[in-house]
Amino acid sequence: MKIATYNVNGVNGRLPVLLQWLKEAQPDIVCLQELKAPQERFPVNAINEAGYKAIWKGQKSWNGVAILTKDLDIVEVQDSLPGDPDDFQSRYIEAIIDNIVVCCLYLPNGNPYPGPKFDYKLAWLKRFKKRTNELIKMELPAILIGDFNIIPTPFDVHKPERWENDALFRTEVRKVYQDLMKKGWLDSIRTLYPEEKIYTFWDYLYKAYQRNAGIRLDHILLSPYLSSALQAGGVDSHVRGWEKSSDHAPVWIELKR
């Protein structure tokens, strides 16, 4: 089973890129972030024509998450992160697919630091951590997948000294990521490539992609009840070089089922 995540940075504006990648990569499950489209503008017909079912939670102008499946049934569990009924931002959707709990997330950026956006990020992370602990306690096969907006370690960023006061790299958010590892969640890509510089995002400015001056923001974490099934994975970094592509690249893993 091939499972992928892709921050599309505008699902309608970059629909040709998404469809081209789906045709090339043929993932069984895909989690999308940053749809930048209201609920009624999600291109469900084009997605269906490409061979995928979909559930999604849109939002006008920004945010938005979706889960796509190919030849697999999908049962939506919830379309928001529990814990704050006043949080209107579309950043989380959870479903059961092939007896796996798939948690697709678009974690808040948090910049500028310090400020209310960073405070919101920490509050969101607190709620997220609670949900992940529940999944561990229930002993469920689960996946945390998406754009975490967290650079886990200095090894995951080009020139880390420039990021010390950025909300993506603050010690507070990196600690939450490490706490997930301590609870038993497995960073699949880092597990497969412990010694390699791997990035999933390259800014549009300063020829960052051409210089490979990137950061690793997009992650696929496996619960202890799935970690032994991990077989392969990678980043489709070449997609970032396509015309009118997102500033993120798709990340994928393969599980033995």
Side-chain angles (χ1 to χ4, degrees):
M1 177 187 291
K2 188 173 185 179
I3 304 169
T5 180
Y6 189 15
N7 179 321
V8 292
N9 192 14
V11 70
N12 287 304
R14 305 190 200 280
L15 185 58
V17 173
L18 172 61
L19 295 176
Q20 182 181 346
W21 170 72
L22 288 174
K23 184 177 181 180
E24 175 188 281
Q26 295 291 312
D28 300 293
I29 300 172
V30 184
C31 291
L32 304 177
Q33 304 86 42
E34 206 170 349
L35 303 179
K36 293 183 177 178
Q39 190 74 3
E40 67 276 9
R41 290 282 316 281
F42 183 79
V44 63
N45 291 336
I47 296 296
N48 292 162
E49 289 175 6
Y52 288 85
K53 305 172 188 176
I55 61 171
W56 67 95
K57 179 71 175 294
Q59 189 168 1
K60 185 179 180 179
S61 301
W62 68 88
N63 302 331
V65 285
I67 302 177
L68 282 51
T69 66
K70 184 178 183 181
D71 301 324
L72 294 169
D73 291 332
I74 180 168
V75 178
E76 184 176 317
V77 176
Q78 52 193 343
D79 64 4
S80 61
L81 184 65
D84 184 358
D86 297 324
D87 185 3
F88 66 91
Q89 296 193 28
S90 176
R91 295 186 173 275
Y92 185 88
I93 191 167
E94 183 179 310
I96 297 174
I97 305 169
D98 198 27
N99 295 315
I100 298 174
V101 181
V102 178
C103 306
C104 172
L105 60 125
Y106 178 39
L107 210 143
N109 179 288
N111 280 306
Y113 167 84
K117 290 185 177 181
F118 187 72
D119 295 339
Y120 170 67
K121 181 173 189 170
L122 293 181
W124 204 97
L125 279 168
K126 185 176 181 180
R127 291 157 52 205
F128 180 59
K129 192 174 178 181
K130 180 179 179 181
R131 180 58 181 154
T132 65
N133 288 340
E134 291 171 352
L135 293 170
I136 292 289
K137 289 178 181 178
M138 288 187 286
E139 300 185 352
L140 293 172
I143 302 175
L144 313 177
I145 177 170
D147 179 356
F148 280 61
N149 269 319
I150 297 175
I151 304 168
T153 72
F155 191 56
D156 297 301
V157 54
H158 180 73
K159 295 189 176 180
E161 65 276 6
R162 296 183 178 180
W163 294 79
E164 290 182 0
N165 286 316
D166 192 284
L168 307 179
F169 196 55
R170 285 291 305 170
T171 55
E172 299 95 324
V173 299
R174 285 193 283 149
K175 182 181 183 303
V176 173
Y177 195 90
Q178 295 307 317
D179 287 345
L180 292 174
M181 304 299 104
K182 291 175 183 177
K183 282 288 185 177
W185 294 95
L186 184 77
D187 183 335
S188 55
I189 295 299
R190 183 51 67 209
T191 299
L192 291 168
Y193 304 99
E195 305 292 334
E196 293 187 33
K197 284 279 188 181
I198 293 179
Y199 303 134
T200 67
F201 170 94
W202 299 261
D203 201 299
Y204 290 124
L205 301 175
Y206 312 119
K207 295 186 177 181
Y209 176 69
Q210 290 80 359
R211 297 186 295 112
N212 198 28
I215 51 182
R216 190 169 76 99
L217 293 179
D218 306 86
H219 309 301
I220 305 176
L221 307 188
L222 305 179
S223 73
Y225 320 103
L226 271 183
S227 57
S228 62
L230 180 63
Q231 288 189 309
V235 179
D236 288 342
S237 56
H238 67 284
V239 176
R240 173 62 178 83
W242 290 354
E243 186 177 357
K244 296 183 179 179
S245 185
S246 170
D247 41 11
H248 293 252
V251 182
W252 58 273
I253 61 169
E254 290 183 358
L255 298 179
K256 182 179 179 181
R257 296 292 289 161

